[in-house]
Amino acid sequence: MIPLRFGIPQFHLVPIITMCIVMIVVMIRNRSGCSWRSARSPARKIDRDALTRGLRADGVGTLLGGLFNTFPYTSFSQNVGLVSVTGVRCAGSR
C-alpha cells in the first residue's frame, strides 16, 4: 500500500464538517461500547483515562485508514452485543 496514493488531500469546508459529524457519531458509539463492557465486567471498570485512550486509538486507526486509502477503522458495538447474547469470545478475552 502506498500512502496518499491519490495525491495530497484537498480541504473543503463541507466535507470537513461532514467528517466531523461522522467522527462524533463514531466517538459516541465507541463510548457506549466502553460503557457496556465496563458494566458487564465489574472487575474491570473503565475510568476516564482508559476511555480517553480508547477514543484516541480509534481516532488514530481512522487517520491511518485515510492515509492508506481505506475506509476508517472503528470498533463495532454490535460485536459487544453479540458476545453477550452468544457467550462466544476470543481465547484471550475474559
Side-chain angles (χ1 to χ4, degrees):
M1 289 171 116
I2 300 169
L4 302 173
R5 182 180 198 135
F6 300 109
I8 303 295
Q10 296 179 3
F11 297 97
H12 302 284
L13 185 60
V14 173
I16 288 172
I17 291 172
T18 303
M19 287 309 295
C20 285
I21 292 170
V22 167
M23 289 312 296
I24 288 170
V25 170
V26 167
M27 286 189 293
I28 292 170
R29 195 173 80 188
N30 192 346
R31 168 73 166 95
S32 66
C34 287
S35 296
W36 186 89
R37 282 188 222 69
S38 177
R40 297 290 291 179
S41 176
R44 229 181 138 187
K45 290 293 180 192
I46 304 291
D47 61 354
R48 185 181 183 119
D49 291 335
L51 179 62
T52 301
R53 287 191 305 271
L55 290 174
R56 190 175 297 135
D58 205 45
V60 169
T62 300
L63 177 70
L64 289 174
L67 285 175
F68 288 101
N69 311 305
T70 65
F71 294 108
Y73 297 105
T74 62
S75 60
F76 289 99
S77 301
Q78 297 90 329
N79 295 344
V80 174
L82 229 77
V83 168
S84 72
V85 170
T86 64
V88 176
R89 300 173 187 213
C90 295
S93 64
R94 297 177 189 187

